[in-house]
């Protein structure tokens, strides 16, 4: 073997070539790059989802909260499960992430690095990347817990309902709530 007399390393920055988003269940974003990226350098708080290639009515920047990678291997494809807070906040804003027509991605160069430490080429407002594949939230929410306080001022009570995901409070039909003193069959 002969020793190399000159070596010029990789100076090419990775670029995003597509992204998919599922708003169903725990949510999932799939980022596809033109070269392998180092998942340990991933910074989801660099991600912003907005309603168009240029911000029009709504955008949401992910928090630095908990998220998970699935799988965690370095690859050209990165799967991120957003934090519950980020997923709920995206669902709360009905101007984004309700269809492929209002789901666009922008991000800073701090999102991820390639295997040689080159920062990804960021995508700025005005050049947002349209979602390739979009999955709507089709899983019905469910009641996780409730709390009833009958000792409120003026002889009133307070009922707090906690659901599995963000809910549209205006859609609540109070006539469909029944409080009872023991577990019974709901069949009628």
């Amino acid at each position: 073997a002969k020793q190399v007399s000159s070596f010029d390393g990789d100076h090419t920055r990775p670029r995003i070539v597509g992204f998919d988003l599922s708003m169903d269940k725990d949510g999932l974003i799939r980022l596809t790059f033109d070269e392998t990226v180092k998942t340990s350098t991933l910074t989801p708080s660099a991600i912003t989802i907005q309603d168009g290639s240029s911000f029009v009515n709504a955008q949401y920047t992910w928090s630095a909260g908990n998220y998970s990678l699935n799988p965690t291997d370095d690859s050209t494809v990165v799967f991120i499960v957003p934090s519950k807070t980020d997923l709920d906040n995206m669902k709360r804003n009905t101007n984004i992430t309700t269809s492929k027509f209002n789901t666009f991605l922008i991000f800073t160069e701090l999102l991820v690095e390639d295997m040689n430490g080159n920062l990804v080429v960021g995508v700025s407002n005005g050049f947002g990347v349209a979602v390739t594949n979009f999955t709507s939230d089709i899983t019905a929410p469910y009641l996780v817990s409730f709390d009833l306080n009958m000792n409120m001022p003026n002889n009133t009570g307070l009922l707090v309902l906690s659901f599995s995901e963000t809910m549209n409070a205006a859609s609540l039909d109070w006539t469909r709530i029944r409080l009872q003193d023991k577990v019974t069959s709901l069949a009628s």
Side-chain angles (χ1 to χ4, degrees), residues 53-119:
S53 60
S54 293
F55 165 69
V56 178
N57 294 311
Q59 65 179 187
Y60 179 75
T61 300
W62 283 20
S63 69
N66 295 330
Y67 64 91
S68 61
L69 297 173
N70 185 13
T72 59
D73 299 334
D74 298 331
S75 177
T76 57
V77 180
V78 177
F79 295 89
I80 309 168
V81 177
S83 69
K84 179 158 178 27
T85 299
D86 287 333
L87 186 63
D88 282 347
N89 284 333
M90 288 188 295
K91 288 180 179 184
R92 183 176 292 117
N93 189 334
T94 58
N95 291 313
I96 58 171
T97 65
T98 59
S99 76
K100 68 178 185 174
F101 302 109
N102 66 0
T103 304
F104 292 78
L105 173 72
I106 62 172
F107 53 88
T108 71
E109 67 181 4
L110 300 177
L111 176 63
V112 72
E113 298 175 6
D114 71 7
M115 301 308 291
N116 291 301
N118 297 309
L119 296 172

Side-chain angles (χ1 to χ4, degrees), residues 16-20 29-33 37 42 47 75-80 105 107 111-112:
I16 194 159
V17 294
F19 95 101
D20 302 331
I29 189 169
R30 174 185 166 160
L31 304 174
T32 305
F33 298 93
V37 294
L42 189 69
I47 294 173
S75 177
T76 57
V77 180
V78 177
F79 295 89
I80 309 168
L105 173 72
F107 53 88
L111 176 63
V112 72

Side-chain angles (χ1 to χ4, degrees), residues 129-151:
V129 178
V131 69
T132 306
N133 296 299
F134 179 84
T135 304
S136 299
D137 179 8
I138 58 171
T139 302
Y142 56 89
L143 182 66
V144 174
S145 65
F146 72 94
D147 186 47
L148 178 62
N149 182 348
M150 296 300 290
N151 297 315

Side-chain angles (χ1 to χ4, degrees), residues 19-31:
F19 95 101
D20 302 331
L21 179 66
S22 172
M23 293 300 291
D24 198 29
K25 299 182 181 172
D26 292 333
L28 183 69
I29 189 169
R30 174 185 166 160
L31 304 174

